[in-house]
Amino acid sequence: MHQKTQEHVEKYHDFFGFQFLIYIKLVINNSIHATYSKKAQYFCSMIEDKNPQRTPLSELGEFKLIEHLTDHFKVTQKSTVKGIGDDAAVLSFGKKQVVVSTDLLVEGVHFDLSYAPLKHLGYKAIVVNLSDIYAMNAVATQVTVSIAVSNRFPLEALEELYAGITAASKFYNVDVVGGDTTSSTSGLIISVTAIGEVEKGKEVLRSGAKPNDLLVITGDIGGAFMGLQVLEREKEVFKVNPNNQPDLSMYTYIIERQLKPEARKDIVELLKELDVKPTSMIDVSDGISSEIIHLCKQSKVGVDLYEEKIPLDPQVISTCEEFNLDSTTIALNGGEDYELLMTISQEDFPKIKGNPNLTVIGYMTEEDRGMHLVTRADEKIQIIAKGWNALTDQA
Ligand code: ADP
Ligand code: MG
């Protein structure tokens, strides 16, 4: 395999104009194998066509877009146990099962460098990926890290980013085994792929929940979103008065939840110790209403979620009051908490009862009963996903 393949674009002018002409030479081992020269009809026809069909992505939203683009992909390899549609893919090689997940963080969409320190950002980029591995009940083992950077970033900035990546890889005991580096015309883009392993049969998919299973959440939720609200507010204050040093001591927990979240590696270990295998599991990246809908749809069940059971930190409650926001709405739709949401069989209840890390927030029902929030006033409200959605937000 000593062949050197090189694609060479010789002329490249006026991308969006009509004279767009490209010559591509395919050079293998220094000899020209093919020359391709063609008016780029595709791009031009898109511009010339007076009535092209152009469906705005906001019409679909993130989940429908993924479905639309991917539902024709059929699994053909014997080693693919679970393909698209879960927190991570599950691959089987002999006795070992490997899980793989990938995520992209884009400046201006997922983070704002005016308040996200680069070291924290590096840490968070790893954590959000590992979270998907733990959501499969797997142990994370390796990551690859790819970055696209503009010349706005000096070396020292990237060293900071990598200090965070190093800290996370040490804390979660994963090896950084590769990646890619390229330039970007605008902001910073970070893509991390996480790899893990899980024993055959121990993987937990989104699709295994049964009616009467208990719905269980780890930790507490809504904090990361409220942390973001505080940081956004301080950014606005800073713009008006750059000398103002904000006192954020009242918000330390929620700001940490936003800037330096942790993935629940400990929960995978705890479940093993307790000898509990959840029937389904997902990590909370978009807000629990959207995650609950994923579990219900993929497991073909309904749910009754109890408002009074949703675990909230006192700082979330007080900050919601300050911002005049309803804490239940924030808990349901906030996102970025990176807790684990799972269903467990009622038989396992005695094993988790009283555990401070695990809160029962509802139970699964037959599919035709629907998905509902049971409010403190004992009213039933249908659960709809208002979760964070990059595509509709940016419409
Ligand atoms: P998560 O929030 O857990 O990262 P996503 O909602 O991003 O999950 O993705 C759901 C599923 O769709 C996953 O299996 C993911 O690998 C897959 N997926 C997302 N985007 C694409 C894409 N552009 N092409 C192929 N598969 C995708
Ligand atoms: Mg996930």
Side-chain angles (χ1 to χ4, degrees), residues 86-88 101 103 128 131-132 135 206 282-285 291:
D86 221 295
D87 292 300
S101 180
D103 264 311
V128 302
S131 178
D132 279 322
R206 295 175 176 180
I282 188 168
D283 72 324
V284 183
S285 49
E291 317 302 2

Side-chain angles (χ1 to χ4, degrees), residues 2 19 46 80 102 124 151 158 203 211 213 229 249 261 296 298 309 318 326 339 348 355 360 363 391:
H2 294 295
Q19 276 109 52
M46 271 185 74
T80 310
T102 195
K124 183 170 176 177
N151 53 14
L158 297 181
E203 73 273 17
D213 282 354
Q229 301 314 301
S249 56
C296 285
Q298 294 203 27
K309 304 281 185 201
S318 59
D326 174 50
E339 295 294 342
D348 284 332
N355 192 298
V360 178
Y363 63 90
L391 299 172

Side-chain angles (χ1 to χ4, degrees), residues 77-145:
Q77 296 291 328
K78 252 174 47 196
S79 50
T80 310
V81 177
K82 175 76 198 173
I84 292 167
D86 221 295
D87 292 300
V90 183
L91 315 176
S92 173
F93 302 105
K95 284 183 187 147
K96 284 267 178 189
Q97 283 205 140
V98 173
V99 285
V100 186
S101 180
T102 195
D103 264 311
L104 200 56
L105 295 180
V106 177
E107 185 179 351
V109 179
H110 300 101
F111 58 89
D112 183 332
L113 288 174
S114 53
Y115 50 71
L118 280 159
K119 191 169 172 182
H120 288 70
L121 184 63
Y123 193 91
K124 183 170 176 177
I126 300 295
V127 163
V128 302
N129 273 271
L130 299 184
S131 178
D132 279 322
I133 300 294
Y134 302 134
M136 304 303 287
N137 202 31
V139 177
T141 47
Q142 289 90 7
V143 288
T144 64
V145 180

